[in-house]
Amino acid sequence: MDLVLIWAVLLSFAILIYVILDGFDLGIGILFPWGRDAKERDMMMNSIAPVWDGNETWLIFGGGGLFAAFPLAYSILMPALYIPVLIMLFALVFRGVAFEFRFKSERSQGVWDGAFNFGSSVAAFAQGLILGAFIQGLEVTEGGYTGGALDWLTPFSLMTGFALMCGYSLLGATWLIIKTTGELQQWAYQAARWLLLIVLAWIAMVSLWTPLAKPEVAERWFSWPNFLLLSPIPVATLGVALALWHALKKQRERAPFIFSVSLFFLSFIGLAVSIWPYTIPYQLTLWETAAPPESQRFLLVGAVILVPLILGYTTFSYRIFKGKVAAGRSYY
């Protein structure tokens, strides 16, 4: 198999796993102010306390893998997205500090509650900005970024920023359904229903805006026979949304999270279809931005060792800390 394709699959897998795993814990941070008292906020935080930092391992793998396997794409993306990337990283650090200090603090716990919500919201919004700027495409001349420092800031990227915040909140609400009981769980069911409607509206807006703004995307989706071949993706998205609504109405515990993850997976597939085979949308392909085969082959040895290790300890930690969180119990 082509080494470039192997690395493309590996990095896509890492990004998707990061979006799902860190997505639900960022979502709980966004929903945090809706916890009615300190006890409910403790339960919300304890539902992610044992796993939240491990989830971010996939972000490091994805960033490092992009730098090593597709250096030209990395050298173009970073100058174009320095500001939102730095905002995201500072927000993630700020959120992590708030996470640790909240458990130690007694008199200023409210301050750290606000800091946790702020860091989670800003990190999610910045990731949406990066996604929107990436989909829109970058100004590239002779293999280098030639756009401005603020080209990423557009109405479309602002929309994707808010859309991702809502998507992560849906993941967070459905995670809380699995991990909690009682009034907090009932609140999570109700919040997830509203968030599902909002997320579907965002998906529809992005799906309409992108082909209208990018003829390449319109050609990919609406030319014949692509329209017929790709139609299962939106049909499956609608089916998953209906199944999620039904699962929430019947108050299933695990199915809402599985269907929420499925919505993200189908959206990810839709994005991949729209930009394939580009790493810099509509300008440079995977093969044009890839490292030499010798470098990719050498790096693949490390990836073959690292990926099973990360998957192993991730699975182990989720298995150890499975089950409901209880009021008054802390993992710290």
Side-chain angles (χ1 to χ4, degrees), residues 1 137 144 278 328:
M1 189 177 179
Y278 297 103

Side-chain angles (χ1 to χ4, degrees), residues 124-125 128 157-169 198-199 202-203 206 264:
F125 187 68
S157 66
L158 290 172
M159 179 184 68
T160 53
F162 287 116
L164 198 62
M165 285 181 69
C166 295
Y168 282 174
S169 299
I198 296 169
V199 167
W202 284 124
I203 290 175
V206 172
F264 268 80

Side-chain angles (χ1 to χ4, degrees), residues 65-330:
L66 180 67
F67 171 74
F70 298 98
L72 179 57
Y74 185 91
S75 71
I76 294 170
L77 288 170
M78 284 307 293
L81 302 171
Y82 267 140
I83 294 175
V85 168
L86 286 175
I87 291 172
M88 176 192 72
L89 293 177
F90 281 127
L92 287 174
V93 171
F94 189 65
R95 175 177 180 268
V97 171
F99 207 112
E100 301 292 335
F101 276 76
R102 183 185 180 276
F103 281 103
K104 311 291 183 188
S105 173
E106 293 181 0
R107 287 184 297 180
S108 57
Q109 196 175 63
V111 174
W112 296 114
D113 282 355
F116 178 61
N117 170 253
F118 178 77
S120 302
S121 303
V122 171
F125 187 68
Q127 289 178 17
L129 289 174
I130 293 167
L131 174 65
F134 177 73
I135 293 172
Q136 282 193 309
L138 308 171
E139 192 175 322
V140 177
T141 306
E142 296 180 353
Y145 177 65
T146 51
L150 294 176
D151 282 6
W152 51 272
L153 189 59
T154 65
F156 182 79
S157 66
L158 290 172
M159 179 184 68
T160 53
F162 287 116
L164 198 62
M165 285 181 69
C166 295
Y168 282 174
S169 299
L170 176 63
L171 284 174
T174 52
W175 180 254
L176 284 177
I177 289 171
I178 295 176
K179 299 295 287 184
T180 62
T181 57
E183 292 181 355
L184 181 56
Q185 188 190 49
Q186 290 305 311
W187 174 83
Y189 276 117
Q190 190 177 8
R193 282 195 289 271
W194 282 106
L195 285 165
L196 172 59
L197 297 176
I198 296 169
V199 167
L200 289 176
W202 284 124
I203 290 175
M205 285 182 67
V206 172
S207 300
L208 288 173
W209 193 327
T210 309
L212 286 174
K214 292 291 174 185
E216 301 91 340
V217 176
E219 173 71 16
R220 177 66 51 83
W221 283 91
F222 299 114
S223 63
W224 188 262
N226 288 3
F227 180 78
L228 180 65
L229 295 173
L230 298 176
S231 59
I233 298 173
V235 171
T237 303
L238 182 60
V240 167
L242 290 172
L244 174 52
W245 181 265
H246 181 74
L248 291 169
K249 190 176 177 183
K250 293 293 181 183
Q251 300 213 337
R252 308 281 191 241
E253 288 205 335
R254 294 182 182 277
F257 183 72
I258 293 170
F259 288 131
S260 299
V261 169
S262 300
L263 271 184
F264 268 80
F265 176 74
L266 288 166
S267 299
F268 190 81
I269 294 294
L271 172 63
V273 167
S274 296
I275 64 172
W276 173 261
Y278 297 103
T279 43
I280 303 300
Y282 328 118
Q283 297 191 65
L284 295 171
T285 67
L286 290 164
W287 291 270
E288 289 171 323
T289 56
E294 296 79 9
S295 301
Q296 289 202 333
R297 194 174 295 114
F298 176 76
L299 292 164
L300 193 58
V301 176
V304 167
I305 298 170
L306 272 179
V307 171
L309 274 176
I310 301 172
L311 280 173
Y313 76 69
T314 301
T315 306
F316 180 75
S317 61
Y318 276 85
R319 186 173 179 182
I320 288 292
F321 294 103
K322 67 180 180 181
K324 303 284 187 181
V325 293
R329 284 182 57 190
S330 172

